[in-house]
Amino acid sequence: MSNSMSIEDVKRDINTLEKLSDLNVKKYADTGGYADIIAQANKNLKTTQLRKFFGAIRNMEKNASSWENIEADFYLLKPQLANARGRDLIPKGFYDIMMSIMDKVDRGDDKEKLENFRVFVSFLESIVAYHKFYTS
């Protein structure tokens, strides 16, 4: 994977996945990977907004013993993101990529959805880490 990838390339690659758990950890977490590219492209994203979103996902993770436990909270993230975008609190690029990623979580049976959610948490954790690197 090269650093010549754009956020649009990342989005296109994610959109080709059947489900998020099909994504290899190296592809999103490695230097120059998807999380790195997303963080670089969204340096203007306020840390407070990223932390707020990540915090909500961390809270869900605590109850992630089954998909049923977190399903409603997961779907409620989408209007929260839309609201943040509508109020210009998050960049359009970040909103678009998050929606693409989240669309790949609700795939498969409940066990697979839970696994997709775990990959989503790990992916977002990587974005937060790279974002911190680029904005400090």
Side-chain angles (χ1 to χ4, degrees):
M1 202 165 348
S2 71
N3 279 346
S4 62
M5 273 188 94
S6 72
I7 196 158
E8 284 305 314
D9 295 327
V10 171
K11 196 165 97 178
R12 196 171 25 259
D13 281 5
I14 287 168
N15 287 337
T16 64
L17 296 171
E18 177 61 37
K19 56 189 186 300
L20 199 58
S21 60
D22 292 341
L23 185 59
N24 180 306
V25 67
K26 183 178 180 358
K27 260 197 156 169
Y28 68 82
D30 202 7
T31 307
Y34 296 167
D36 191 352
I37 293 163
I38 292 166
Q40 278 186 63
N42 288 284
K43 284 187 250 187
N44 58 339
L45 172 62
K46 288 185 175 53
T47 304
T48 52
Q49 287 301 314
L50 187 56
R51 290 262 168 220
K52 189 176 175 184
F53 182 59
F54 188 56
I57 288 159
R58 275 285 191 225
N59 283 337
M60 270 192 266
E61 193 182 25
K62 293 174 191 164
N63 300 316
S65 56
S66 74
W67 176 249
E68 194 177 85
N69 286 357
I70 61 168
E71 186 174 18
D73 289 336
F74 178 78
Y75 291 120
L76 288 170
L77 282 175
K78 290 183 177 188
Q80 289 167 11
L81 272 173
N83 180 48
R85 176 65 204 126
R87 294 173 59 207
D88 213 21
L89 298 173
I90 61 172
K92 182 181 182 334
F94 183 75
Y95 172 80
D96 290 345
I97 197 78
M98 281 300 112
M99 293 310 254
S100 289
I101 293 167
M102 289 173 74
D103 283 343
K104 299 300 176 178
V105 173
D106 184 20
R107 301 288 175 100
D109 61 27
D110 284 0
K111 187 177 176 214
E112 289 170 315
K113 289 176 186 175
L114 205 52
E115 181 55 31
N116 293 334
F117 177 76
R118 289 189 192 350
V119 172
F120 175 60
V121 171
S122 176
F123 196 156
L124 199 58
E125 198 170 41
S126 301
I127 293 169
V128 169
Y130 283 114
H131 186 266
K132 180 68 178 164
F133 174 75
Y134 290 115
T135 58
S136 59

